[in-house]
């Protein structure tokens, strides 16, 4: 092996090592999104009324500590208006899930920060990746702050978080997940970050999937899935009355629960149609297995969404639906990246 070949092989191994690390962190972020959905569905998210990002690692370790946490919880609207009379055991049941959610967030920070420092000091970060890795780190820290900003909205008067803040929290998590996945794919396939240009219809599909999941965040934040639990008709019609009852009309897009659910339904149809068009358009370009995977996960996700709606959003199905959303986004990002890389290599 020549010196040039040895250097090239070292760079390839470094890129693969960093890619494996980013894939692992992306997996943790995906798990975080699913646990976040479970926390929301079980109404556990307002059980911890303080944010201690540095010192909040340990849960209450004695009965006295548990009672102290419970007394803090009693000072806030969720206990006073929803859970009045809750027992300590009931409080512990909702506290543990929110605790796991927060601790996992801290562990993700460590899982990103420590390898980043190690790769950086050893000079193993591929060319051009340092700014992207630093931005990923900043976005991760911002996500923690945004999560607390969301929780604070449910600790004032109304015992529920702002659906705007919840959707923003979900959106940033998905953005981080997609960024990590894109970076890992780039290093694995190209040894450096691949740009977004040239991805064509696959890029439009990825963007639409992202917007559809944000639409789902609005549905979850407004509990819009707990009404109009029929399909394919909604309130007895495909296009029901009452979609634009709030003035000005555009407020309905964000404030009318019927309209928010209707948008999510229509978004699912739009994603399915564009996915079929994309699979056909890229028949000779994208791998067959990838195109089939895309259509399969979208079909399964629509089925989960319908079942979740018809059964009035049971926790298990709602959680699976959130996990399915992350899976659909992941497959869409892989296809998007595949096409961007092909355009870059032309």
């Amino acid at each position: 092996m020549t010196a040039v070949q040895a250097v090239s092989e070292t760079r390839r191994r470094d890129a693969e090592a960093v890619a494996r690390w980013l894939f692992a962190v992306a997996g943790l972020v995906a798990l975080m999104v699913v646990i976040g959905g479970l926390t929301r569905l079980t109404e556990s998210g307002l059980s911890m009324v303080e944010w201690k990002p540095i010192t909040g690692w340990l849960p209450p370790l004695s009965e006295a500590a548990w009672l102290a946490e419970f007394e803090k919880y009693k000072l806030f609207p969720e206990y006073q208006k929803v859970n009045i009379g809750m027992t300590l055991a009931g409080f512990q049941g909702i506290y543990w899930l929110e605790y796991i959610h927060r601790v996992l967030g801290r562990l993700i920070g460590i899982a990103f920060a420590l390898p980043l420092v190690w790769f950086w000091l050893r000079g193993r970060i591929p060319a051009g990746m340092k700014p992207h890795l630093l931005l990923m780190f900043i976005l991760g820290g911002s996500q923690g702050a945004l999560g607390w900003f969301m929780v604070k909205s449910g600790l004032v008067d109304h015992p529920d978080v702002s659906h705007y803040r919840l959707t923003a929290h979900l959106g940033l998590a998905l953005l981080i997940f997609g960024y990590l996945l894109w970076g890992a794919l780039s290093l694995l396939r190209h040894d450096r970050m691949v740009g977004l240009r040239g991805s064509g219809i696959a890029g439009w599909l990825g963007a639409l999937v992202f917007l559809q999941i944000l639409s789902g965040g609005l549905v979850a934040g407004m509990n819009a899935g707990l009404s109009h639990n029929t399909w394919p008709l909604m309130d007895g019609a495909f296009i029901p009355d009452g979609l634009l009852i709030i003035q000005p009309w555009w407020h309905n897009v964000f404030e009318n629960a019927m309209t928010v659910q209707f948008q999510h339904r229509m978004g699912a149809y739009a994603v399915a149609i564009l996915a079929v068009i994309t699979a056909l358009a890229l028949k000779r370009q994208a791998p067959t297995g990838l195109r089939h995977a895309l259509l399969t996960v979208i079909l399964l996700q629509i089925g989960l969404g319908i079942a979740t709606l018809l059964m009035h959003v049971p926790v298990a199905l709602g959680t699976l639906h959130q996990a399915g959303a992350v899976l659909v986004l992941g497959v869409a990002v892989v296809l998007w990246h595949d096409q961007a890389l092909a355009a870059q290599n032309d």
Side-chain angles (χ1 to χ4, degrees), residues 250-305:
W250 55 269
H251 280 190
N252 292 277
V253 175
F254 306 104
E255 299 289 344
N256 184 338
M258 173 186 276
T259 307
V260 166
Q261 188 193 126
F262 180 77
Q263 291 166 174
H264 195 54
R265 291 183 182 218
M266 296 303 106
Y269 298 144
V271 167
I273 292 170
L274 186 56
V276 171
I277 294 172
T278 301
L280 293 174
L282 301 179
K283 187 175 181 179
R284 296 183 179 180
Q285 301 175 40
T288 301
L290 181 56
R291 290 184 291 109
H292 288 175
L294 175 71
L295 297 176
T296 299
V297 296
I298 288 176
L299 181 62
L300 289 174
Q301 177 67 349
I302 290 175
L304 276 173

Side-chain angles (χ1 to χ4, degrees), residues 29-83:
V29 172
L31 177 61
M32 184 73 165
V33 172
V34 175
I35 292 178
L38 181 59
T39 302
R40 170 68 182 172
L41 288 163
T42 56
E43 299 184 350
S44 302
L46 297 178
S47 57
M48 296 179 69
V49 297
E50 295 176 321
W51 188 43
K52 299 177 180 178
I54 305 301
T55 61
W57 280 90
L58 293 176
L61 297 176
S62 66
E63 185 175 1
W66 274 112
L67 289 170
E69 287 296 314
F70 193 23
E71 290 302 316
K72 294 176 186 176
Y73 176 68
K74 289 180 179 180
L75 298 175
F76 291 89
E78 185 173 77
Y79 176 82
Q80 297 167 356
K81 297 182 179 181
V82 179
N83 290 331

Side-chain angles (χ1 to χ4, degrees), residues 180-252:
L180 288 163
L181 185 57
W182 190 279
L185 289 168
S186 295
L187 293 178
L188 196 63
R189 295 171 165 181
H190 194 58
D191 291 347
R192 59 180 59 88
M193 187 63 86
V194 173
L196 296 175
R197 292 183 179 180
S199 48
I201 193 172
W204 287 108
L205 177 64
L208 183 60
V209 168
F210 178 75
L211 291 176
Q212 172 64 359
I213 301 175
L214 293 187
S215 169
L218 290 176
V219 171
M222 297 184 69
N223 294 315
L226 298 178
S227 59
H228 310 294
N229 301 96
T230 58
W231 184 85
L233 301 183
M234 183 177 182
D235 206 23
F238 187 75
I239 303 177
D241 294 330
L243 294 177
L244 300 175
I245 60 174
I246 301 175
Q247 295 299 325
W249 69 267
W250 55 269
H251 280 190
N252 292 277

